[in-house]
C-alpha cells in the first residue's frame, strides 16, 4: 500500500513528466522522484528528450549515495531493454533502490518486464499508484503503442452558438489573443498539426509554433486530396517547420510537392482521403500525437473514422446566428449515435472558455 509521501511524490513526478511533452517523441514522457525512508525527496528528474537519459537516471544522479535503501516513484514502469540508453530497471537495482512504485505498466513489448527484473533482484514493487493520471500524461505514447496510430486531439474555436465563422465567411478573430497563444502551446506539445484543403485555401495558415522559446516545431500536414490547395508562396512552405502534403494516390501524376514540402500519396475514402491510411503514414514517420486544426469537413472525416481521442474547444462569448458549424458529418444521424465525451477540464482563457474532453468509456 502506497504511503502518503509516495502519493505526493507521484503527483510531483507526473508534473515533472509533462515537461517533456513535445521533446521526447517517439518515446514516452516519464517523471521520477526518489524518496528516503522518512519520505524526504533526495532526487528527481524527467525524460527531457528522445535519446537522452531517462527520468530514473536523472533522479539517481541527483540522489547519489542517498538512493541506497530509498524508494523510486516513477510514472511509467522502468524499462527493461537496452536501446540508446541502458535498462532503467537494472540501474535502479545497481543504485541500491529497495522499493519502486509506478503508475502505469509499460505496454511496449520491447521494453516491458522491468517490474519482473526488479522483483527478481529483491526490490519491493507496487504498480498502479495514480494510474489514471499516469495514463493521461502519456496518452499520446500509450495510444501509439496500443493502437498503432497517433493520438489525435481535435482543436476548434467557435462562438457559444457553435459557429466557426460568420455567414460571410469572416472568422478572424473569434477568440482572444490569449486563446490563440494557448493553441501554440498545444502545437508545441504535438508531433504534427493537420489541416484540410478548405482551411488551406481560406486561411493560408502558417501552423508553426510561435511565442514559445525552445519549442520543437511540429510537422505541418495539409490534407489536399486533389493536390491543388497548396500553391507556391503558401505560408506552410516557409522554412519555419517541415511540411507534408497528403494527396490521393490516383491524383494527376503531374501533382508534385511544391518547393519546401514533401508529398505522400494515400487511398481515397468517401469525400476525401482515407484517414486510417493518413494516420498510418504519419505513425511511420514517428508521429505519435496529432493536433487536428482542420475545419468541419475534415473533423467529420476523423470522427467517422473513430480517430478522435480528445477534443479541445475554445468558446468565445459571442453569438453569430449563422455560418459554418463546428462539425460536419461524422457519420452521426441520430441522437443514439452521438459521440459521447467525458469533460476533463473547463478553464477560462482570457475572456474565452477552453473545454477539454475525451472519449467516454462505453458501457457494456
Amino acid at each position: 500500500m502506497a504511503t502518503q509521501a509516495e502519493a505526493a511524490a507521484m503527483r510531483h513526478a507526473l508534473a515533472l513528466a509533462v515537461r517533456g511533452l513535445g521533446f521526447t517523441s517517439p518515446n514516452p514522457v516519464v517523471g521520477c522522484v526518489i524518496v528516503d525512508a522518512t519520505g524526504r525527496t533526495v532526487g528527481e528528474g524527467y525524460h527531457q528528450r528522445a535519446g537522452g537519459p531517462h527520468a530514473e537516471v536523472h533522479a539517481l544522479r541527483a540522489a547519489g549515495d542517498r538512493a541506497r535503501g530509498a524508494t523510486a516513484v516513477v510514472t511509467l514502469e522502468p524499462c527493461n531493454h537496452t536501446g540508446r540508453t541502458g535498462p532503467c530497471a537494472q540501474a535502479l537495482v545497481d543504485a541500491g533502490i529497495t522499493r519502486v512504485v509506478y503508475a502505469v505498466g509499460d505496454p511496449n513489448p520491447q521494453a516491458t518486464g522491468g517490474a519482473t527484473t526488479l522483483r527478481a533482484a529483491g526490490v519491493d514493487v507496487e504498480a498502479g499508484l495514480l494510474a489514471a493520471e499516469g495514463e493521461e500524461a502519456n496518452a499520446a505514447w500509450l495510444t501509439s503503442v496500443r493502437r498503432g496510430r497517433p493520438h489525435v486531439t481535435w482543436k476548434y474555436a467557435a462562438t457559444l452558438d457553435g459557429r466557426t465563422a460568420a455567414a460571410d465567411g469572416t472568422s478572424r478573430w473569434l477568440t482572444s489573443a490569449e486563446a490563440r497563444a494557448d493553441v501554440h502551446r498545444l502545437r508545441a506539445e504535438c508531433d504534427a498539426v493537420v489541416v484540410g484543403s478548405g482551411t488551406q485555401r481560406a486561411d493560408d495558415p502558417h501552423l508553426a509554433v510561435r511565442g514559445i522559446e525552445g519549442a520543437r516545431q511540429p510537422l505541418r500536414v495539409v490534407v489536399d486530396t486533389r493536390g491543388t490547395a497548396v500553391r507556391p508562396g503558401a505560408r506552410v512552405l516557409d522554412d519555419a517547420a517541415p511540411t507534408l502534403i497528403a494527396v490521393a494516390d490516383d491524383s494527376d501524376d503531374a501533382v508534385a510537392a511544391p518547393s519546401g514540402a514533401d508529398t505522400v500519396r494515400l487511398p481515397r475514402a468517401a469525400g476525401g482521403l482515407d484517414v486510417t491510411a493518413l494516420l498510418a503514414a504519419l505513425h511511420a514517420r514517428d508521429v505519435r500525437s496529432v493536433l487536428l486544426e482542420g475545419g468541419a469537413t475534415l473533423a467529420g472525416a476523423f470522427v467517422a473514422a473513430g480517430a478522435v481521442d480528445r477534443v479541445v474547444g475554445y468558446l468565445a462569448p459571442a453569438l453569430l446566428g449563422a455560418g459554418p458549424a463546428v462539425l460536419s458529418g461524422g457519420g452521426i444521424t441520430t441522437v443514439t449515435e452521438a459521440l459521447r465525451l467525458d469533460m476533463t477540464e473547463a478553464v477560462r482563457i482570457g475572456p474565452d472558455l477552453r473545454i477539454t474532453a475525451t472519449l467516454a468509456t462505453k458501457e457494456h
Side-chain angles (χ1 to χ4, degrees), residues 151-158 162 164 183 186 190 192 194-195 199 289-304 307-314 325-330 332 339 341 354-359:
H151 179 275
V152 176
T153 296
W154 169 36
K155 162 262 164 185
Y156 68 86
T164 59
V183 171
L186 288 180
C190 290
V194 178
V195 298
T199 298
S289 54
V290 165
L291 182 62
L292 178 62
E293 291 196 29
T297 300
L298 187 61
F302 271 73
V303 168
V308 172
D309 302 295
R310 181 174 66 153
V311 179
V312 178
Y314 294 86
V326 166
L327 182 66
S328 176
I332 301 167
L339 188 66
L341 306 173
R354 185 188 70 206
I355 295 177
T356 303
T358 58
L359 287 185

Side-chain angles (χ1 to χ4, degrees), residues 7-326:
M10 183 65 79
R11 283 189 287 271
H12 183 52
L14 288 164
L16 291 171
V18 296
R19 293 183 188 179
L21 286 172
F23 298 99
T24 65
S25 187
N27 298 327
V29 294
V30 184
C32 177
V33 174
I34 298 175
V35 295
D36 64 16
T38 69
R40 182 171 59 96
T41 297
V42 295
E44 62 181 52
Y46 68 98
H47 187 33
Q48 299 176 12
R49 60 179 177 83
H54 288 187
E56 296 92 326
V57 173
H58 282 298
L60 288 172
R61 288 175 179 172
D65 292 340
R66 294 174 296 176
R68 190 159 300 279
T71 295
V73 178
V74 196
T75 58
L76 185 69
E77 177 186 2
C79 68
N80 199 44
H81 80 301
T82 300
R84 286 184 283 183
T85 61
C88 291
Q90 190 59 49
L92 293 168
V93 171
D94 293 343
I97 291 290
T98 57
R99 176 169 161 81
V100 172
V101 180
Y102 65 87
V104 179
D106 191 336
N108 185 350
Q110 294 179 322
T112 193
T116 301
T117 294
L118 290 164
R119 290 190 178 103
V123 177
D124 180 33
V125 178
E126 180 171 338
L129 177 61
L130 299 185
E133 292 88 339
E135 291 265 348
E136 181 180 355
N138 250 326
W141 182 79
L142 290 169
T143 297
S144 74
V145 174
R146 293 168 176 168
R147 305 190 65 177
R149 67 159 176 82
H151 179 275
V152 176
T153 296
W154 169 36
K155 162 262 164 185
Y156 68 86
T159 57
L160 286 183
D161 56 346
R163 305 295 178 177
T164 59
D168 65 356
T170 56
S171 61
R172 293 188 178 182
W173 294 104
L174 285 182
T175 53
S176 64
E178 293 92 335
R180 298 194 296 275
D182 196 61
V183 171
H184 285 279
R185 176 190 59 81
L186 288 180
R187 289 180 181 176
E189 293 177 354
C190 290
D191 297 333
V193 179
V194 178
V195 298
S197 56
T199 298
Q200 177 61 38
R201 290 190 179 95
D203 298 340
D204 186 24
H206 190 229
L207 303 182
V209 176
R210 298 189 301 275
I212 299 180
E213 185 177 354
R216 186 184 69 167
Q217 291 292 346
L219 175 68
R220 300 178 291 190
V221 182
V222 180
V223 180
D224 185 11
T225 305
R226 292 179 293 177
T228 59
V230 183
R231 310 309 304 163
R235 298 174 71 207
V236 293
L237 299 179
D238 67 11
D239 60 1
T243 298
L244 178 69
I245 302 173
V247 301
D249 55 9
D250 61 355
S251 61
D252 192 328
D253 289 339
V255 173
S259 176
D262 292 331
T263 294
V264 60
R265 290 181 175 271
L266 300 172
R268 289 179 181 265
L273 295 184
D274 187 306
V275 170
T276 300
L278 171 64
L279 291 175
L282 293 177
H283 195 263
R285 292 172 177 255
D286 279 346
V287 170
R288 298 296 178 258
S289 54
V290 165
L291 182 62
L292 178 62
E293 291 196 29
T297 300
L298 187 61
F302 271 73
V303 168
V308 172
D309 302 295
R310 181 174 66 153
V311 179
V312 178
Y314 294 86
L315 300 181
L319 302 172
L320 286 173
V326 166

